[in-house]
Amino acid sequence: MSISKQPLISASPSGLRIYFVPLPSPGHVIPMIDIAKIFTKHGAECTLIMTPLNAARYESNIHRSGLHLVTFQFPSDTGLPVGCESADLLPSRKLFGHFRRVVDLLEQPFRELLRVNPPDAVVSDSFLLWTAVASAELNIPRYSFPVVSCFALSVERNLLFHRPQQNVTSDLDLFLVPGLPDQIYLTKCQLSETTLPDEKLIEFFERALEAEKATTGWVVNTFYELESPYIKHCERVTGKPVFHIGPVCLSGVSKEEIAERGHGKELAAVSERLLRWLDGRPAFSVVYVSFGSVSWLPKAQLKEIGFGLVESGVPFIWVVGGGDESDDVADEVSAIAGDAGQVVKGWAPQLAILGHISVGTFLTHCGWGAVTEATAVGKMMLTWPLFADQFYNEKFVVQVAEIGESMGAERGYIWGEEERTGVLLNRERVAEKVRWSLGPGAESMRKRAWEIGIEARKGGGKGGSSYESVECMMEDIRKHRGQRTEAGVHGETGDQH
């Protein structure tokens, strides 16, 4: 493993240098880049730490934004196929637990970087527990980016502490999650620990609680107007400040940044084709459908979705993950839909599509990044969670924020065992819900989502809640730097500023 030779010279107006360390997975890397861009705009010098393949995937977005980059070689001879440096490239979902443990091997070069070139702060993915320990040993403040919402953090924490799921016998029996600002009911089959059956998952959550002790605060992709009760709840139960700086997708303001977000210029033709198609559709008439970058659905379920969209009679853009079986379904549905629908294989410019005036509804898996993108542009959601924290997010969107309608899936897919579960919702349900979401019955929900979008955009502007939260975190970093300077922490390495 090696560290790139790119120099790290502080030239930022604020004098603050921050390292950003994402988990190698699109749903984690993309918002981390957005966060780094936000702090750059506030005057910090921001450096992303990635592996070569991930750096190449997001290179144009990184360099356009004035971000610095350090690369660590991805560990080799670990049992993973060559080139699998990102979770979405794994040939089997069952390899994710092993993948996460291989990523932990990046701890040593990270420690070396901190020793040779210490920053003023580290912002790292909550999955990367070793970044908390390594930073604390050098008295460098580490801020944890959990990827999820404050609501999901609160739910997961209370499930771990109180274990109410142990008091029910059936996987479909509802139980109350105690200690939350709202009455939230879940079932066993909707829990992260059920849909992500890594035998070490509970152990990981327990280690994460231990790592909290070495964590300075939380950096969360949310905004005060959306999640204020749960922001306060997280601060109260963890004893750590929550810096709510979202929606982070609003960090890119140019059309190029928005169109290339999450990818590069090589797919510009896809963006142009889809946006041109949307230009020819009436306002709020299109449903956009995507289940995220790492979701996998059985072929039978893909068919029900595709034919349900066609039968709805609603214009649609449907993003289908890559793979031989999904390609077959995509081709079949595309041929039947004709110009009434656009079926996209692999990647689409999600934020640009959601922000287009022709899109009225987003059918989503409820990954938190997708939820914040919908709120940023004021679009209501049809929720269809599949695994991990997604059922928690559905509860928030439907019950708390009231900006979405559930598709009605009672259970998700167990990670790596999707084919065994088969079809969860049929084409009739898909067609019915899609039609409803763009009709008069959903008008009040669409209006509320639009109003939330206005609040989201205000929050990121100067003087807004998210803007001020970034400033508060910058001040917190300065405070810690002052304390370290007084204590002479840098020692023989000297002050880097």
Side-chain angles (χ1 to χ4, degrees):
M1 292 179 281
S2 64
I3 301 173
S4 73
K5 302 300 183 181
Q6 179 174 335
L8 299 174
I9 303 170
S10 181
S12 65
S14 70
L16 293 180
R17 296 173 58 244
I18 309 173
Y19 290 167
F20 294 84
V21 195
L23 180 77
S25 182
H28 295 242
V29 173
I30 293 170
M32 188 69 87
I33 293 173
D34 289 337
I35 293 170
K37 287 160 65 175
I38 288 170
F39 279 89
T40 296
K41 290 175 182 177
H42 281 253
E45 182 193 274
C46 300
T47 300
L48 283 155
I49 298 173
M50 307 173 83
T51 64
L53 184 146
N54 286 288
R57 291 177 98 178
Y58 308 102
E59 186 175 15
S60 63
N61 202 348
I62 291 170
H63 291 307
R64 179 188 288 114
S65 306
L67 304 175
H68 295 265
L69 182 65
V70 166
T71 57
F72 295 159
Q73 290 300 316
F74 195 77
S76 57
D77 300 323
T78 59
L80 291 176
V82 175
C84 285
E85 296 184 18
S86 183
D88 62 313
L89 300 178
L90 294 172
S92 168
R93 301 297 184 262
K94 293 181 179 180
L95 286 173
F96 181 73
H98 179 58
F99 173 79
R100 197 179 69 236
R101 290 184 280 277
V102 170
V103 171
D104 287 347
L105 299 177
L106 296 174
E107 177 180 0
Q108 193 53 46
F110 178 71
R111 285 179 173 275
E112 179 65 11
L113 178 63
L114 292 188
R115 186 188 66 79
V116 172
N117 218 324
D120 295 305
V122 170
V123 176
S124 62
D125 196 289
S126 295
F127 273 98
L128 307 180
L129 306 183
W130 41 271
T131 60
V133 177
S135 300
E137 288 176 1
L138 292 174
N139 282 342
I140 297 169
R142 179 259 185 169
Y143 299 84
S144 179
F145 173 51
V147 183
V148 302
S149 63
C150 286
F151 177 85
L153 270 178
S154 301
V155 169
E156 198 67 76
R157 188 182 182 90
N158 285 16
L159 290 173
L160 189 62
F161 276 119
H162 301 293
R163 307 299 291 169
Q165 60 269 43
Q166 294 179 347
N167 298 325
V168 295
T169 56
S170 167
D171 284 352
L172 292 175
D173 285 346
L174 288 168
F175 60 84
L176 177 69
V177 182
L180 298 176
D182 297 283
Q183 285 202 326
I184 303 299
Y185 289 86
L186 291 167
T187 66
K188 276 186 177 181
C189 61
Q190 296 172 332
L191 304 184
S192 291
E193 63 194 61
T194 302
T195 56
L196 297 174
D198 183 346
E199 73 280 0
K200 297 184 180 295
L201 188 64
I202 298 299
E203 176 191 327
F204 170 81
F205 284 142
E206 291 171 347
R207 288 195 297 122
L209 289 175
E210 185 66 25
E212 272 185 26
K213 298 174 183 178
T215 294
T216 305
W218 304 95
V219 181
V220 186
N221 181 13
T222 191
F223 54 104
Y224 189 80
E225 293 77 8
L226 182 66
E227 269 205 295
S228 57
Y230 290 93
I231 291 170
K232 295 172 185 175
H233 183 266
C234 277
E235 290 186 324
R236 184 171 66 253
V237 299
T238 66
K240 309 286 184 181
V242 172
F243 299 99
H244 46 90
I245 66 170
V248 301
C249 62
L250 295 176
S251 64
V253 294
S254 71
K255 287 184 178 180
E256 290 77 15
E257 282 182 287
I258 293 171
E260 294 177 15
R261 182 173 178 269
H263 241 286
K265 296 178 181 179
E266 70 276 10
L267 292 175
V270 176
S271 297
E272 291 174 10
R273 173 174 61 83
L274 294 173
L275 296 176
R276 189 166 55 248
W277 182 85
L278 285 170
D279 288 341
R281 298 293 178 277
F284 307 113
S285 66
V286 176
V287 61
Y288 172 66
V289 184
S290 175
F291 291 90
S293 58
V294 296
S295 299
W296 189 90
L297 294 167
K299 185 175 183 178
Q301 183 63 82
L302 288 172
K303 281 193 169 187
E304 293 302 304
I305 295 169
F307 288 114
L309 291 172
V310 172
E311 291 175 12
S312 74
V314 171
F316 65 88
I317 295 178
W318 179 29
V319 182
V320 183
D324 293 340
E325 290 194 345
S326 61
D327 283 353
D328 291 345
V329 176
D331 291 340
E332 188 177 358
V333 172
S334 183
I336 296 171
D339 193 50
Q342 295 288 308
V343 183
V344 185
K345 301 176 186 178
W347 176 86
Q350 181 157 291
L351 188 60
I353 291 171
L354 285 174
H356 198 285
I357 191 66
S358 294
V359 174
T361 304
F362 180 21
L363 200 172
T364 174
H365 65 311
C366 280
W368 185 245
V371 171
T372 60
E373 288 172 356
T375 59
V377 296
K379 300 299 168 68
M380 72 159 281
M381 287 164 268
L382 289 172
T383 61
W384 186 346
L386 301 176
F387 60 87
D389 63 310
Q390 294 166 13
F391 279 96
Y392 314 157
N393 297 336
E394 179 184 54
K395 292 290 184 182
F396 180 81
V397 168
V398 174
Q399 180 179 334
V400 180
E402 298 179 323
I403 53 175
E405 170 81 1
S406 174
M407 290 289 289
E410 293 185 334
R411 62 172 72 241
Y413 287 104
I414 295 175
W415 187 264
E417 300 180 12
E418 293 86 352
E419 196 66 53
R420 192 177 72 177
T421 303
V423 173
L424 294 175
L425 297 177
N426 61 29
R427 65 189 68 185
E428 290 79 15
R429 173 67 64 85
V430 172
E432 174 194 350
K433 288 288 188 178
V434 166
R435 279 195 297 266
W436 174 86
S437 72
L438 293 170
E443 185 176 353
S444 61
M445 189 175 292
R446 293 196 301 271
K447 182 180 178 183
R448 175 162 172 75
W450 188 258
E451 290 169 349
I452 288 285
I454 293 171
E455 293 297 326
R457 294 186 290 277
K458 282 182 181 177
K462 193 165 186 178
S465 58
S466 294
Y467 182 97
E468 292 301 321
S469 193
V470 175
E471 288 294 305
C472 285
M473 183 167 154
M474 298 271 283
E475 190 55 40
D476 195 59
I477 295 171
R478 290 188 191 97
K479 180 190 74 175
H480 283 281
R481 183 173 68 179
Q483 292 171 350
R484 293 201 313 279
T485 300
E486 289 177 11
V489 165
H490 286 304
E492 294 181 2
T493 63
D495 195 332
Q496 300 291 314
H497 309 286

